[in-house]
C-alpha cells in the first residue's frame, strides 16, 4: 500500500532481506554507546533543560516543559476550600486508576484498610493498558533475580537505587504467579510452560507476555479484581492538590470533578500517588505512545508539598514509535517485534545496529541514522527507518505474526499495510518517565510522611534508562508494596488538623524567585487546541 515515493527504498529493503536475516550485527562497546548518547539522545540536549529555582530539587535541571509545571501556580486558593467538612474519609486514598493504583488498592484492601481510588479518567485509562510486549521475571531454570538485576542495573547506567531494583527483581517471579492466580492469560506452550522472549539488554529470555497486548490483559484482570471487591472508584475526578495535616504529613487531597469542576475534599490517613507518566507533555516536541492523561500530575502534586524528585531529567524515547502513517504517528510498535527477529534497516536497505541494544542506545542510533548519516526515509511527516517485519515470518515461520503480535498486524492493516509482507516505518516516540518521586523501599516518599508512590511516578527503580518489561513489573511489585505499607501504616495514624498552607508557601517562593508565569498545574489533560 506504500505510495510510489517509498518504492525505491522498499525494493532495496526487499532485495537485502535474506542477507540481512543472516547478518549478526556487532554490539556497541561501552565507549561507542556513551559517545552516541551524548551526541544524539534527547536527554543530552542541554538547551532543552531548565534549572529549578524553587522546591526540594532547587538547582537541578529538568526538561523545560516539566520545570514550567513544577514551578506553576496551584489551581486553587487555600482559603476557598472547606477542610473542616470532608466529602470523603478513608484510610488509604489512591490517586490514579492504572496498574499501580489498582494493585495498591487490592493489597491495601487485603490489609483490612478502607480504600478509595480517585482517577481523572476511568479505571484502566492508563499507560498500563498501552504496554504491549511483556513483563520480565527471572523464573526459568537458566535465569535468576541476580542476573535480572545485573541486566537492569547496567541498562540503567548503574544509577538505580540498589534496594529498589533488588526488590523489583526478587519479587518478579511471585508477581507473575499473583497475576496468573488473578486470571491473567500469559502465553504458554501446550504443556503449560510460559513462553518467554528477549528484550533489549536482557541476557536471558524472561519476557512473559499475553501476545502483544500484555498490559491490556493485566489491566483487565486488575480492574475486575478491584470492582469485584467493591473498592470505591471515583472516576472523572482529579486530585489537584495534596492536603497535609498540621504535622506536615500527607492527609488527603483536594479533588475536582472533571466535568462540573466542582471541588471536593478527601481526608485520608495515608495517600498513594499512582498517577503514571508524562508522555502527553510532549517533551522536545516528540510524539508519544502514552495514554491521554499522562501529564506528570503526581510529580507536581508531590513537589508542591516538598517531596523530592530523583532523575526527573531522564526520559525514555521508545526506539520504535510509528513514523508512518500519520494517523497513528507516535503509537507504540512493541520491542517484541525486534525480539521476534525484525531488524532495523535504513533507506538503503542496510542494517545499521543490533536490534536489541538498550532503548536509549537504540533510539539514539535511529536518530543518528536519520540526522547525521542522512539515511532516513522521508515519510512526508518527518523521517523514519524501516523495521523489517516480514523477517519475522521468514525466521519463525508463517503465522508467527498473527499468533505472537496480532495487535501490531491489526494496527497497520487498518491503513492497508500488511506487516507480514511489508516493513514498517518507525522513529523514537516519548514513552516513559525514568525519573519521579524519590521513595524508600516501603514506597513512602523519602521526605513526606504518609505519602506513598508507586508506578511510573517513582524515580530511581530503573536508574537512568529502563529495560523493556520492567515497567509492567514495577507497577505490580511496587503497587503491591505501596498498598501493603500504606494499609499497615494507616492503623497507627491519627490525622491532625488539615491544612493547605503549603500552597501559600509555594506561591511565596515563586514570587521570591522572580518566576514570571501564568501557568497552573497539574496539567490534567493535554491541550491540542489548534492555534494560529
Ligand atoms: O516495558 C515496555 O515499555 C514495553 C513492554 C513496551 C513494548 O515495547 O512493548
Amino acid at each position: 500500500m506504500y505510495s510510489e515515493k517509498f518504492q525505491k527504498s522498499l525494493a532495496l529493503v526487499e532485495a537485502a532481506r535474506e542477507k540481512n536475516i543472516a547478518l549478526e550485527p556487532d554490539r556497541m562497546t561501552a565507549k561507542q554507546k556513551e559517545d552516541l548518547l551524548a551526541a544524539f539522545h534527547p536527554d543530552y540536549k542541554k538547551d532543552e533543560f531548565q534549572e529549578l529555582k524553587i522546591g526540594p530539587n532547587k538547582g537541578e535541571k529538568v526538561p523545560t516543559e516539566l520545570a514550567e509545571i513544577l514551578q506553576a501556580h496551584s489551581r486553587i486558593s487555600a482559603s476557598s476550600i472547606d477542610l473542616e467538612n470532608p466529602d470523603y474519609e478513608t484510610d488509604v486514598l489512591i490517586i490514579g486508576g492504572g496498574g499501580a493504583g489498582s494493585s495498591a488498592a487490592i493489597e491495601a484492601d487485603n490489609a483490612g484498610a478502607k480504600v478509595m481510588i480517585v482517577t481523572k479518567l476511568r479505571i484502566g485509562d492508563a499507560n498500563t493498558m498501552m504496554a504491549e510486549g511483556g513483563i520480565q521475571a527471572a523464573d526459568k531454570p537458566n535465569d535468576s533475580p541476580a542476573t535480572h538485576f545485573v541486566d537492569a542495573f547496567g541498562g540503567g547506567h548503574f544509577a538505580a537505587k540498589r534496594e529498589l531494583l533488588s526488590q523489583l527483581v526478587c519479587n518478579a517471579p511471585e508477581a507473575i504467579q499473583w497475576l496468573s492466580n488473578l486470571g491473567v492469560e500469559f502465553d504458554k506452550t501446550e504443556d503449560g510452560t510460559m513462553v518467554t522472549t528477549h528484550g533489549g539488554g536482557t541476557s536471558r529470555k524472561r519476557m512473559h507476555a499475553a501476545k502483544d497486548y500484555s498490559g491490556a490483559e493485566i489491566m483487565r484482570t486488575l480492574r475486575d479484581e478491584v470492582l469485584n471487591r467493591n473498592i470505591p472508584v471515583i472516576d472523572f475526578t482529579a486530585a489537584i492538590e495534596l492536603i497535609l495535616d498540621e504535622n506536615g504529613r500527607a492527609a488527603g487531597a483536594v479533588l475536582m470533578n472533571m466535568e462540573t469542576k466542582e471541588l471536593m475534599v478527601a481526608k485520608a490517613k495515608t495517600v498513594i500517588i499512582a498517577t503514571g507518566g508524562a508522555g502527553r507533555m510532549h517533551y522536545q516536541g516528540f510524539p508519544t505512545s502514552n495514554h491521554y492523561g499522562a501529564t506528570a500530575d503526581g510529580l507536581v502534586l508531590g513537589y508542591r508539598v516538598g517531596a523530592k524528585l530523583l532523575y526527573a531529567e531522564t526520559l525514555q524515547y521508545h526506539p520504535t514509535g510509528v513514523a508512518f502513517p500519520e494517523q497513528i504517528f507516535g503509537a507504540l510498535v512493541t520491542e517484541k517485534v525486534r525480539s521476534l527477529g525484525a531488524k532495523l534497516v535504513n533507506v538503503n536497505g542496510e542494517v545499521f545496529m543490533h536490534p536489541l541494544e538498550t532503548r536509549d542506545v537504540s533510539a539514539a542510533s535511529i536518530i543518528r541514522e536519520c540526522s547525521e548519516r542522512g539515511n532516513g526515509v522521508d515519510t512526508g511527516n518527518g523521517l523514519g527507518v524501516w523495521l523489517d517485519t516480514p523477517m519475522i515470518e521468514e525466521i519463525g515461520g508463517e503465522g508467527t505474526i498473527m499468533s505472537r503480535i496480532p495487535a501490531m498486524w491489526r494496527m497497520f492493516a487498518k491503513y492497508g499495510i500488511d506487516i507480514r509482507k511489508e516493513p514498517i516505518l518507525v522513529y523514537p516516540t516519548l514513552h516513559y518517565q525514568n525519573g519521579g518521586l524519590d521513595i524508600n523501599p516501603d514506597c513512602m516518599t523519602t521526605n513526606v510522611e504518609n505519602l506513598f508512590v508507586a508506578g511510573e511516578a517513582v524515580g530511581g527503580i530503573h536508574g537512568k534508562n529502563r529495560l523493556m518489561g520492567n515497567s509492567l513489573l514495577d507497577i505490580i511489585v511496587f503497587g503491591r508494596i505501596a498498598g501493603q505499607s500504606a494499609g499497615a501504616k494507616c492503623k497507627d495514624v491519627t490525622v491532625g488538623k488539615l491544612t493547605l498552607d503549603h500552597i501559600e508557601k509555594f506561591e511565596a517562593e515563586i514570587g521570591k524567585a522572580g518566576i514570571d508565569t501564568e501557568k497552573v498545574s497539574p496539567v490534567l489533560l493535554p491541550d491540542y487546541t489548534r492555534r494560529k
Side-chain angles (χ1 to χ4, degrees):
M1 110 84 206
Y2 289 103
S3 65
E4 191 51 39
K5 72 170 182 166
F6 296 106
Q7 294 306 323
K8 190 172 153 215
S9 177
L10 266 174
L12 294 172
V13 173
E14 271 171 27
R17 186 166 296 137
E18 286 312 314
K19 178 178 71 75
N20 284 343
I21 287 175
L23 200 75
E24 291 209 12
D26 290 338
R27 294 274 186 178
M28 286 181 221
T29 63
K31 170 82 173 82
Q32 283 169 332
K33 287 184 198 177
E34 256 172 50
D35 293 347
L36 175 68
L37 290 172
F40 296 100
H41 194 278
D43 278 357
Y44 294 71
K45 281 194 158 184
K46 291 203 173 72
D47 51 356
E48 298 285 352
F49 291 77
Q50 215 175 79
E51 191 174 302
L52 291 169
K53 293 185 180 162
I54 55 174
N57 291 73
K58 185 176 165 180
E60 290 178 23
K61 287 198 167 175
V62 297
T64 301
E65 299 86 343
L66 179 60
E68 285 173 357
I69 60 166
L70 287 175
Q71 303 183 133
H73 304 289
S74 175
R75 286 178 168 269
I76 51 171
S77 78
S79 58
S80 63
I81 308 295
D82 175 11
L83 295 172
E84 303 287 327
N85 300 293
D87 301 271
Y88 300 101
E89 277 196 54
T90 190
D91 292 339
V92 182
L93 172 66
I94 300 176
I95 304 172
S102 301
S103 302
I106 294 166
E107 290 295 355
D109 184 55
N110 283 342
K114 186 176 167 196
V115 189
M116 172 178 137
I117 295 178
V118 293
T119 170
K120 66 183 173 183
L121 294 168
R122 301 161 303 178
I123 182 168
D125 288 332
N127 281 347
T128 302
M129 198 67 148
M130 320 289 283
E132 296 172 352
I135 169 168
Q136 288 202 43
D139 56 3
K140 291 266 167 93
N142 69 340
D143 202 0
S144 69
T147 311
H148 188 175
F149 184 100
V150 171
D151 289 348
F153 198 51
H157 300 277
F158 308 99
K161 280 177 95 164
R162 286 161 193 257
E163 61 280 23
L164 298 183
L165 184 54
S166 165
Q167 276 175 302
L168 181 80
V169 298
C170 291
N171 286 305
E174 203 220 320
I176 299 290
Q177 268 316 310
W178 187 71
L179 289 171
S180 289
N181 294 343
L182 286 178
V184 172
E185 298 274 4
F186 286 111
D187 297 340
K188 300 191 190 78
T189 56
E190 271 176 18
D191 69 357
T193 307
M194 294 266 188
V195 176
T196 50
T197 48
H198 271 300
T202 61
S203 62
R204 300 287 188 280
K205 291 184 177 177
R206 69 170 78 88
M207 202 72 56
H208 301 61
K211 304 203 184 294
D212 55 348
Y213 38 77
S214 311
E217 171 63 4
I218 289 173
M219 194 65 241
R220 173 192 73 79
T221 312
L222 293 173
R223 178 172 50 197
D224 281 357
E225 185 65 18
V226 168
L227 298 181
N228 287 341
R229 286 170 181 246
N230 292 320
I231 294 171
V233 179
I234 318 296
D235 58 14
F236 296 111
T237 301
I240 56 169
E241 202 65 61
L242 292 179
I243 299 170
L244 301 178
D245 75 359
E246 59 196 330
N247 305 307
R249 303 179 303 192
V254 178
L255 310 179
M256 184 183 81
N257 180 306
M258 293 291 281
E259 206 177 350
T260 63
K261 309 292 180 238
E262 180 196 358
L263 298 179
M264 290 156 285
V265 168
K267 179 177 176 182
K269 294 178 178 168
T270 54
V271 178
I272 302 178
I273 291 179
T275 48
R280 294 282 163 175
M281 295 302 295
H282 295 289
Y283 297 131
Q284 300 190 30
F286 272 82
T288 186
S289 58
N290 284 188
H291 87 112
Y292 192 55
T295 50
D297 299 350
L299 273 52
V300 169
L301 295 175
Y303 200 69
R304 214 174 267 148
V305 296
K308 276 194 209 129
L309 299 170
L310 185 62
Y311 303 145
E313 74 284 11
T314 70
L315 280 305
Q316 179 162 91
Y317 298 82
H318 194 294
T320 57
V322 175
F324 180 89
E326 195 176 352
Q327 294 93 321
I328 47 172
F329 188 60
L332 182 63
V333 172
T334 175
E335 195 164 315
K336 191 170 174 184
V337 172
R338 282 173 285 140
S339 307
L340 294 174
K343 290 191 175 116
L344 291 158
V345 177
N346 67 20
V347 70
N348 304 316
E350 296 153 350
V351 171
F352 58 91
M353 56 172 282
H354 189 287
L356 287 176
E357 293 285 6
T358 53
R359 283 191 176 162
D360 51 356
V361 171
S362 303
S365 174
I366 293 170
I367 294 170
R368 174 176 64 185
E369 202 62 21
C370 291
S371 55
E372 187 187 67
R373 293 187 175 167
N375 289 334
V377 179
D378 180 359
T379 66
N381 184 35
L383 294 167
V385 293
W386 295 108
L387 181 54
D388 199 5
T389 45
M391 286 184 174
I392 296 174
E393 300 272 293
E394 300 258 339
I395 296 165
E398 207 181 316
T400 308
I401 286 185
M402 293 314 263
S403 67
R404 305 290 298 278
I405 47 169
M408 280 300 102
W409 179 82
R410 200 175 320 114
M411 180 164 78
F412 283 93
K414 276 189 196 158
Y415 302 98
I417 298 170
D418 184 344
I419 69 170
R420 295 171 300 185
K421 302 191 179 103
E422 299 162 295
I424 54 180
L425 284 162
V426 295
Y427 193 80
T429 185
L430 183 54
H431 182 62
Y432 188 76
Q433 173 179 264
N434 295 316
L437 294 159
D438 193 8
I439 58 165
N440 291 318
D442 62 357
C443 288
M444 191 148 86
T445 54
T446 50
N447 61 338
V448 179
E449 208 178 330
N450 296 346
L451 180 61
F452 295 78
V453 193
E456 200 171 337
V458 172
I461 300 170
H462 310 282
K464 297 191 172 185
N465 175 58
R466 175 179 66 78
L467 300 189
M468 171 191 182
N470 274 350
S471 173
L472 279 179
L473 177 59
D474 107 36
I475 59 166
I476 303 301
V477 168
F478 290 97
R480 294 184 68 197
I481 294 173
Q484 288 156 359
S485 310
K489 182 85 196 313
C490 67
K491 298 197 172 108
D492 307 322
V493 174
T494 309
V495 180
K497 192 173 172 343
L498 301 187
T499 132
L500 284 167
D501 286 355
H502 70 273
I503 298 180
E504 268 181 32
K505 279 192 208 144
F506 200 79
E507 204 43 58
E509 275 198 69
I510 292 178
K512 212 168 130 202
I515 299 168
D516 183 16
T517 178
E518 291 187 356
K519 285 203 185 292
V520 292
S521 63
V523 173
L524 305 180
L525 293 176
D527 179 5
Y528 291 128
T529 318
R530 280 183 195 274
R531 294 194 179 80
K532 279 189 185 157

